[in-house]
């Protein structure tokens, strides 16, 4: 009799915190609770969060995803429409009112805080510089809080060098909430060197969850043969985690949406795997990926803990009379 071949040992350094932040959790809860209270369909403008698994799960519950409000058919005008966690320009709720639509705004409270900071700069007579990525829904939403021409987007140091303000003494900056902490700090330094009178936001714009997840990745990445980040290609904070892992010393870093995307043939013999998840990636997929490695390796899981997150953002009053159960959220949280 031949003894079975033992699976090779593998240590998984599992980042904590990882996955859903309070703003993402709240946004998903809003759609689920709206479906429970009002029934299907509930319309959602843009992906509620940047994760295909989450979107498809909500679709199965009766959510209908649209890009613009005119896509809502006249016979469904009384159905709720939810605005995504990324925030929307002021023109969107104004359009909803004009169309007599009932809307629920799931904008993350920390994104709303950036909106208020940008408006405060303008109220104090400053031109607003927004550090962020062109075309990202959060950037579109933030720029849409102010009149055209009141905000200039800064993506690179070349943008800093090219910017010629009307009044260098009347500038204020805010940032997208999901940026690389290190890259953003470099851009802010470049702006401050060029414009010494630049006014910072009243509070940090990059959100706690982005910072915490990047710090956990920095802890887990050194010495990792492979680092996997669970997240979507259009998720800004997830892509930043891949970059952070590479800078922190992981030999290879990849973004995957599901276990099926893991390139087993390219991985080769690995002994240490780093694993994290972007703020819009559900824990059930993290479990799926760990199970996929357990099928091929003798796995030991070590937690790389750098912070404990206790933040909780309550849903709006209109939905607080509906009970949210663990079963309602099992499609993203598993049996937790």
């Amino acid at each position: 009799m031949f003894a079975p071949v033992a699976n090779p040992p593998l240590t998984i350094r599992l980042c904590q915190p990882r996955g859903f932040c309070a703003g993402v959790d709240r946004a998903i809860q809003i759609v689920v609770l709206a479906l429970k209270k009002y029934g299907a369909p509930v319309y959602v403008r843009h992906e509620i969060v940047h994760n295909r698994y989450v979107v498809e799960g909500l679709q199965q519950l009766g959510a209908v995803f649209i890009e613009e409000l005119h896509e809502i058919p006249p016979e469904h005008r009384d159905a709720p429409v939810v605005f995504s966690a990324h925030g929307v320009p002021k023109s969107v709720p104004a359009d909803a009112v004009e169309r007599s639509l009932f809307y629920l705004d799931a904008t993350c409270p920390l994104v709303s805080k950036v909106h208020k900071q940008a408006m405060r700069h303008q109220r104090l007579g400053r031109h607003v510089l927004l550090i962020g990525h062109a075309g990202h829904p959060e950037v579109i939403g933030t720029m849409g809080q102010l009149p055209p021409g009141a905000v200039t987007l800064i993506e690179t140091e070349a943008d800093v060098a090219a910017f010629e303000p009307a009044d260098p003494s009347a500038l204020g900056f805010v940032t997208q909430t999901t940026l690389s902490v290190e890259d953003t700090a470099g851009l802010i330094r470049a702006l401050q060197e060029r414009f010494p009178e630049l006014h910072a936001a009243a509070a940090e714009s990059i959100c706690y969850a982005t910072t915490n997840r990047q710090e956990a990745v920095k802890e887990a990445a050194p010495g990792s043969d492979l680092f996997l980040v669970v997240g979507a290609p259009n998720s800004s904070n997830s892509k930043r985690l891949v970059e952070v892992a590479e800078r922190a010393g992981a030999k290879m870093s990849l973004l995957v949406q599901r276990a099926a995307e893991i390139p087993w043939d390219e991985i080769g013999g690995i002994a240490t795997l780093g694993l994290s998840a972007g703020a819009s990636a559900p824990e059930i997929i993290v479990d799926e990926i760990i199970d996929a490695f357990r099928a091929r390796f003798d796995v030991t899981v070590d937690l790389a803990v750098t912070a404990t997150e206790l933040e909780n953002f309550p849903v709006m009053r209109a939905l607080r009379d509906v009970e949210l159960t663990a079963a309602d959220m099992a499609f993203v949280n598993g049996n937790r």
Side-chain angles (χ1 to χ4, degrees):
M1 295 286 292
F2 291 102
V5 178
N7 285 337
L10 176 70
T11 298
I12 297 180
R13 294 178 184 164
L14 182 61
C15 292
Q16 187 171 319
R18 64 183 178 277
F20 283 177
C21 62
V24 164
D25 204 31
R26 173 181 179 269
I28 297 168
Q29 288 178 19
I30 287 169
V31 180
V32 171
L33 291 171
L35 284 162
K36 289 188 76 172
K37 181 168 184 174
Y38 304 108
V42 167
Y43 287 88
V44 184
R45 184 188 178 277
H46 191 67
E47 291 186 339
I48 186 69
V49 297
H50 282 158
N51 189 275
R52 176 49 48 184
Y53 181 95
V54 172
V55 167
E56 290 175 352
L58 291 171
Q59 285 174 324
Q60 291 173 9
L61 296 176
V64 178
F65 288 83
I66 58 173
E67 286 303 312
E68 299 298 341
L69 299 183
H70 66 75
E71 298 172 45
I72 300 174
E75 62 269 24
H76 289 165
R77 185 176 293 170
D78 294 335
V81 56
V82 180
F83 301 153
S84 79
H86 311 101
V88 295
K90 282 185 174 180
S91 59
V92 174
D95 186 25
V97 170
E98 192 166 324
R99 295 174 184 273
S100 300
L101 299 174
F102 167 46
Y103 69 85
L104 298 166
D105 189 351
T107 299
C108 172
L110 299 182
V111 173
S112 296
K113 184 182 77 172
V114 174
H115 292 177
K116 291 172 184 173
Q117 292 170 346
M119 289 186 283
R120 179 177 181 273
H121 279 317
Q122 193 210 22
R123 191 169 63 250
L124 294 173
R126 302 166 187 160
H127 182 80
V128 179
L129 301 176
L130 170 58
I131 300 173
H133 298 300
H136 190 279
E138 184 185 325
V139 166
I140 293 169
T142 300
M143 295 185 77
Q145 303 305 305
L146 300 177
V151 183
T152 297
L153 181 63
I154 301 292
E155 294 189 88
T156 65
E157 292 200 17
D159 292 337
V160 176
F163 178 58
E164 296 292 346
D167 182 356
S169 67
L171 298 173
F173 78 87
V174 295
T175 82
Q176 187 178 329
T177 63
T178 54
L179 301 177
S180 160
V181 174
E182 290 183 12
D183 289 348
T184 304
L187 284 175
I188 292 170
R189 280 195 300 272
L191 282 168
Q192 289 171 331
E193 287 172 6
R194 182 137 192 257
F195 307 111
E197 296 179 74
L198 176 71
H199 295 270
E204 175 63 64
S205 294
I206 296 177
C207 79
Y208 77 92
T210 297
T211 302
N212 288 350
R213 278 148 192 72
Q214 290 180 21
E215 288 301 316
V217 168
K218 289 178 187 176
E219 177 80 15
S224 294
D225 300 305
L226 172 67
F227 202 104
L228 292 182
V229 175
V230 183
N234 59 341
S235 167
S236 174
N237 77 86
S238 299
K239 290 195 291 186
R240 302 294 81 77
L241 293 179
V242 175
E243 297 166 358
V244 169
E246 290 174 349
R247 290 177 182 174
K251 292 179 183 175
M252 177 168 51
S253 183
L254 298 172
L255 182 69
V256 294
Q257 297 188 78
R258 300 293 301 271
E261 294 184 4
I262 299 172
W264 299 106
D265 294 340
E266 299 174 22
I267 287 174
I270 61 172
T272 304
L273 171 75
L275 181 60
S276 186
S280 50
E283 186 67 10
I284 198 168
I285 299 181
V286 175
D287 293 342
E288 172 188 284
I289 286 174
I290 292 174
D291 288 343
F293 278 95
R294 286 193 193 280
R296 295 165 172 83
F297 295 87
D298 180 13
V299 169
T300 301
V301 176
D302 289 343
L303 284 179
V305 183
T306 54
T308 300
E309 294 180 349
L310 302 175
E311 287 80 3
N312 176 51
F313 299 147
V315 300
M316 61 279 295
R317 287 188 180 86
L319 298 176
R320 291 181 194 170
D321 60 340
V322 186
E323 182 186 9
L324 184 75
T325 67
D328 292 329
M329 299 292 286
F331 75 104
V332 287
N333 293 336
N335 296 321
R336 286 168 174 75

